[in-house]
Amino acid sequence: MTRRVEAYVAVICVMALASIAGVIALSPPNVREHLPSAACFAALGVLAHMLAHRLPRGASGSIAFLPFLAIVLVTPSWAALLAVGGAMASVELFNGKQPIKSVFNVAQVTLAVATCVIVYQLLGGEPLRDRHDVTLMATISFSIGFLLFVLVNTFAVSGVIGVSEGRPLLQIWRSNTRRSLVYDLLSLPFVFVFAVIYLEYGIGGAAILALQMLGVRQLYKTNWQLAKTNQDLLQLMVAAIEARDPYTSGHSRRVAQYSRMIARAIGLPSRQVDRIEIAALLHDVGKIHENFAPILRKPSRLTPEEAAIMQTHPLKSAELVEHVTEFRDLVEIVRHHHENWDGSGYPSGLCGQEIPLGARVIIFADTVDAMTSDRPYRAALGETQVRAELRRMRGIQFDPQICDTLLSSPLFHDIFRTQPRGHSTATEFEASPVPYLAAAPPTRAVG
């Protein structure tokens, strides 16, 4: 662990201690009678944490936040922090993680829960005694506290991962949270359900509800793992194809990464960004055909005959992609990723809006990778040179609207902050691993 990580963890610990002091100052005098309730929910939280699953960048996700926050509704006091802190400490001891990771996980979850307690109390929230106490005021107060809990938890974890990896906090946060944030917020009613079921039926009722939710959670986890496995297999297949030629190594993965950046820069919705990213990963799979092998290994410029053969690769790629039912919507994107805006491209000579939007995005990524990769006849170009070339080909090779939006976006600079680029042949344009394509609910922790 670096000193920067240690300093970050120390800051989180100080913030957690300060928030604990604030909760103690606001706690009512009759807190002790709520300790058994808090302990019951804490035990359910421990069980949920034991069934957590891995997220990208070393984080993990679980539904422990449901019983943890139910404690806040039953006893918005230091008893909630004692229960949550004790539960998290038990989980960390059981998992045997590095001390600094354990300290961080306990501190950041305690800080998030304390923030929720403080907000709930300051906005007039009272401990729930039965279902009739779930008033509009209590709902609004807790909803605001819940939102802050999610933000504190996710940003704290993203922050420590960002500091550890030297990556921007927002980039890590989006990777781990952007798909799951809606699910996080939609889970708010279940916190109230947990609390009310416990108050009406005791620990038995809460335990039955917890087991049902954990069953659903495990089903979700299995589906997520299958999606992740499929994505890994896709990456493996593309890597195996590119391994035939050292000059093309990493090309499709870099183009997928750049395509994602460009699609986000022009404001496409998350689902469409994901599909374009997959299409970009698959855009050159047709080059697995043996007739392309000698051309791909050729270090010099191509003859007209060789260029004609290479121009068939989008068709070969589309034919392969069409065999996978899940990728049927990507076929046209893959087929037309070499069409030019003015109609001078191939294989169909489409122009303007006739070209699928995903293909118009991928041609940017493909070309950018070509320019930023070393070639046998020239060194990789820098950001200024790439920017000038994109402007020069605006309205000829590239969609002018996408070009203008991309060049004015701060995300354009991210392309030049990625991992070192490899070599490329005259026919290649290349990029790094694609994030998983599934959402995962909180609570977040560092693995």
Side-chain angles (χ1 to χ4, degrees), residues 319-359:
E319 289 171 4
L320 290 175
V321 171
E322 197 170 15
H323 287 301
V324 183
T325 303
E326 174 66 19
F327 298 152
R328 292 282 171 82
D329 62 314
L330 308 180
V331 173
E332 292 304 303
I333 298 177
V334 172
R335 178 178 286 123
H336 297 297
H337 73 270
H338 274 299
E339 304 285 2
N340 292 334
W341 182 257
D342 66 356
S344 62
Y346 60 88
S348 303
L350 301 183
C351 64
Q353 300 291 335
E354 295 175 345
I355 306 169
L357 177 58

Side-chain angles (χ1 to χ4, degrees), residues 30-85:
N30 59 338
V31 172
R32 293 182 183 278
E33 64 186 63
H34 296 296
L35 286 175
S37 302
C40 290
F41 282 116
L44 294 176
V46 169
L47 176 61
H49 253 301
M50 294 301 182
L51 297 173
H53 77 282
R54 303 292 298 178
L55 293 173
R57 310 296 181 193
S60 62
S62 80
I63 60 168
F65 72 109
L66 293 176
F68 283 172
L69 291 180
I71 303 175
V72 175
L73 287 170
V74 174
T75 173
S77 64
W78 57 262
L81 303 188
L82 179 63
V84 170

Side-chain angles (χ1 to χ4, degrees), residues 281-304:
L281 188 64
L282 296 169
H283 78 287
D284 274 351
V285 293
K287 290 178 181 177
I288 194 173
H289 287 274
E290 190 58 36
N291 57 328
F292 297 119
I295 302 176
L296 291 173
R297 287 192 288 268
K298 185 176 180 180
S300 58
R301 291 186 181 274
L302 307 184
T303 66

